[in-house]
Amino acid sequence: VATVAAGWHDTMFFLKTFTEDLAMNPPDFGPHLRNKIRERLRNSVEGTALGKIGYVVHITHIKDEDISMGRIEDSTGQTTYKVKFQAVVFRPFRNEVLDAVVSTALNYGFFCKAGPLQIFVSRHMMPDDVKNFDHERT
């Protein structure tokens, strides 16, 4: 895992710090509230795409002190917590080389998957020695 330095990168995985507002319902309150907050945050954030930031692969840790005191909403009884956490983010860049698995091959190109990404490679973008692949074989 690396960090980005002034537009330069050498990896597609990053450790980033995020802050998220999380609403909890009254039945969740009790002695295990912080564990329920962690679980809800993992379920709602891990595996999601965050635009240009990338895909959240895994939340590494959430410290107790990074979960704020709750703010009660009068109309619903829900309590909103501001949670600060670190996560591993997958963010490939242009011209980066990825290992991928071909899922579909067609006359005009092929589709493949690299983690959460679905990638299409057009026949027109392939070198001449690769263009004559047998799309029926895959």
Side-chain angles (χ1 to χ4, degrees), residues 50-104:
L50 300 176
K52 292 188 180 224
I53 294 171
Y55 294 90
V56 178
V57 176
H58 177 71
I59 294 176
T60 57
H61 64 277
I62 306 163
K63 299 177 192 170
D64 278 348
E65 58 267 18
D66 290 337
I67 301 172
S68 73
M69 296 293 289
R71 191 182 78 241
I72 299 172
E73 296 180 22
D74 296 336
S75 59
T76 64
Q78 286 185 326
T79 303
T80 303
Y81 297 88
K82 193 171 284 293
V83 184
K84 182 179 171 185
F85 62 96
Q86 286 189 325
V88 176
V89 177
F90 172 65
R91 169 72 165 91
F93 291 90
R94 184 181 186 99
N95 295 324
E96 210 159 12
V97 177
L98 301 173
D99 287 331
V101 176
V102 174
S103 57
T104 307

Side-chain angles (χ1 to χ4, degrees), residues 16-61:
K16 290 205 45 100
T17 301
F18 297 94
T19 302
E20 184 86 12
D21 288 334
L22 202 63
M24 300 297 288
N25 295 314
D28 295 325
F29 302 161
H32 302 290
L33 175 62
R34 291 190 185 281
N35 289 335
K36 289 181 181 182
I37 290 172
R38 286 183 183 90
E39 181 182 343
R40 173 144 329 144
L41 185 67
R42 281 194 168 90
N43 290 339
S44 67
V45 175
E46 285 183 347
T48 61
L50 300 176
K52 292 188 180 224
I53 294 171
Y55 294 90
V56 178
V57 176
H58 177 71
I59 294 176
T60 57
H61 64 277

Side-chain angles (χ1 to χ4, degrees), residues 112-123:
C112 56
K113 286 195 65 106
L117 294 179
Q118 172 123 4
I119 302 164
F120 174 72
V121 179
S122 170
R123 179 182 205 103

